[in-house]
Amino acid sequence: MAVALFDTETPLAPLLPAIIARIAEVVQRGRYILGPEVQAFEREFASYLGVRHVVGVGNGTDAITIALRALGVRPGDEVVVPSFTFYATAEATVNAGARPVFCDVDQETRNVTVDTVRAVLTPRTRAVVAVDLFGFPAPVMELREIGLPVLEDAAQAAGARRGERRAGSLGHAATFSFYPSKNLGCFGDGGAIATSDDDVAELARTLRFHGSRDKRTFEHVGYNSRLDEVQAAILRVLLPHLDGWSEGRRAGARAYVEAGLGQYLSVPVVPDGVQPAWHLYLVTQPRADELIAALSASGIEARGYYRMPVHKQPAMAPYVRDMPRLPATDELAATNLALPISPVLGPAQAREIVRAVAAGLAR
């Protein structure tokens, strides 16, 4: 049985005629940059998230950089970020002129916590980036009680909830990536900043367009980073299906548990009130790499993520002097593997994958 880590084709297949028709409308209109499709998607996504503003940008990395600047981060400031995350979280922080300060994560949720953030705060800390890792919403509301701006990196969490609130509405601002493999993905690069702070939104809109409000007067050194009309048109077709896809992913995760996956691997622990979007279904096992090889030989795609945490990446060397150990990060980096998950992963597939896991560990 062949099972891909990401099945993006099956959910999209019935929507392709509508997507192609919407793209044709954009081409016929001849408006490609910051036009009516972007404006409509920004309104629709803001309404979906329950925030006042969405600002479409070129990609998720630019979204973090622009959002941090809009939140008041300036050159020389420190920003707390997790090390167990994709490199772009820290890279974007550096691009905003700040120094990333790496913190540990919770072993079970893989998210930063109030305690892991407090452990690395200094008088120079200006903001915290909380990553909704693998689609699992971080405890952002608790982090806000620290008294610093909290940027929610929701790139992997479109469709998730924490309590009654959606991922992307929890922080002072939030960022999204619409990279094609994301839960809400376009057909290229794309990103967005979400916030209910009018001043943050206005500055983000200015920064995405060269630091200008009117194309004539340039108030800031900004960026050329705009969500384009074609990608916005595609996202408008997909957005109404996001909740259904997210429930399909949660059903797939439940199917793994019901099939007995926890007998062989350490599976994620989901607190009451949290509804992950399961961009990835990440489990841990001391023999993770052996198991990945065994599953691959059976046609089941599995993958280890962030084997080299961000604080150990060569480019981050100037920022990691005298930093504390990050034991949970190191443990997770060495023992994790992602199993296939998608809106259409059913119980039969889950049972077959669990059987393949058991066989792989019995070797």
Side-chain angles (χ1 to χ4, degrees):
M1 178 185 64
V3 186
L5 187 63
F6 297 101
D7 182 355
T8 56
E9 294 182 6
T10 302
L12 286 177
L15 303 178
L16 288 178
I19 290 170
I20 292 169
R22 190 66 65 83
I23 292 172
E25 291 177 14
V26 174
V27 173
Q28 290 166 358
R29 189 183 299 124
R31 181 88 178 271
Y32 300 111
I33 304 295
L34 295 183
E37 295 292 340
V38 170
Q39 294 168 10
F41 173 70
E42 289 176 339
R43 290 193 303 270
E44 291 160 7
F45 198 36
S47 176
Y48 172 86
L49 295 173
V51 299
R52 285 206 295 269
H53 306 281
V54 163
V55 181
V57 295
N59 54 71
T61 307
D62 285 355
I64 298 171
T65 298
I66 293 171
L68 285 173
R69 287 188 58 185
L71 286 168
V73 171
R74 298 293 179 261
D77 288 342
E78 292 183 354
V79 174
V80 176
V81 301
S83 181
F84 191 60
T85 185
F86 182 55
Y87 175 75
T89 306
E91 177 187 36
T93 301
V94 174
N95 287 340
R99 177 180 183 268
V101 175
F102 295 100
C103 72
D104 211 352
V105 294
D106 178 74
Q107 184 81 31
E108 293 185 340
T109 67
R110 287 76 153 149
N111 285 331
V112 301
T113 69
V114 171
D115 289 340
T116 65
V117 169
R118 284 193 185 279
V120 298
L121 294 178
T122 77
R124 296 183 297 279
T125 306
R126 183 66 184 87
V128 176
V129 179
V131 180
D132 297 332
L133 200 62
F134 309 125
F136 198 112
V140 177
M141 300 306 294
E142 291 92 331
L143 291 167
R144 292 181 66 159
E145 294 176 6
I146 293 173
L148 293 166
V150 179
L151 177 61
E152 180 187 4
D153 180 350
Q156 300 180 355
R161 286 181 177 269
R162 193 173 186 98
E164 297 301 314
R165 300 182 64 171
R166 294 187 185 275
S169 71
L170 304 173
H172 295 88
T175 59
F176 287 89
S177 166
F178 303 127
Y179 187 78
S181 64
K182 293 293 191 289
N183 294 24
L184 179 64
C186 58
F187 286 13
D189 276 319
I193 299 160
T195 184
S196 289
D197 187 307
D198 297 344
D199 294 333
V200 169
E202 180 61 22
L203 183 51
R205 289 192 185 96
T206 303
L207 289 171
R208 77 174 173 182
F209 193 81
H210 303 286
S212 176
R213 302 169 195 258
D214 60 8
K215 301 184 185 181
R216 296 182 298 275
T217 304
F218 298 88
E219 305 168 46
H220 307 276
V221 177
Y223 308 88
N224 181 16
S225 183
R226 301 162 301 202
L227 181 66
D228 71 63
E229 285 285 285
V230 170
Q231 303 303 342
I234 293 167
L235 290 165
R236 292 186 66 204
V237 175
L238 304 185
L239 180 59
H241 302 274
L242 178 57
D243 280 346
W245 290 339
S246 299
E247 185 49 48
R249 289 174 177 274
R250 287 189 281 271
R254 289 193 297 270
Y256 274 133
V257 174
E258 292 166 2
L261 185 64
Q263 299 175 49
Y264 310 102
L265 305 167
S266 177
V267 300
V269 177
V270 181
D272 291 341
V274 174
Q275 297 181 52
W278 297 128
H279 173 60
L280 291 166
Y281 192 73
L282 203 85
V283 295
T284 58
Q285 220 287 334
R287 297 166 54 196
D289 288 335
E290 293 178 43
L291 183 55
I292 289 169
L295 291 174
S296 298
S298 301
I300 298 168
E301 188 179 5
R303 189 181 305 167
Y305 274 78
Y306 317 140
R307 284 287 188 260
M308 182 183 291
V310 182
H311 75 282
K312 296 183 178 180
Q313 295 291 344
M316 292 294 121
Y319 308 105
V320 296
R321 291 187 295 272
D322 302 321
M323 66 172 285
R325 287 185 63 252
L326 306 178
T329 293
D330 290 338
E331 175 73 13
L332 288 167
T335 63
N336 83 79
L337 66 152
L339 296 177
I341 194 75
S342 77
V344 294
L345 183 86
Q349 280 184 313
R351 288 192 295 270
E352 288 293 330
I353 292 168
V354 171
R355 281 195 283 268
V357 166
L361 291 174
R363 294 183 180 182

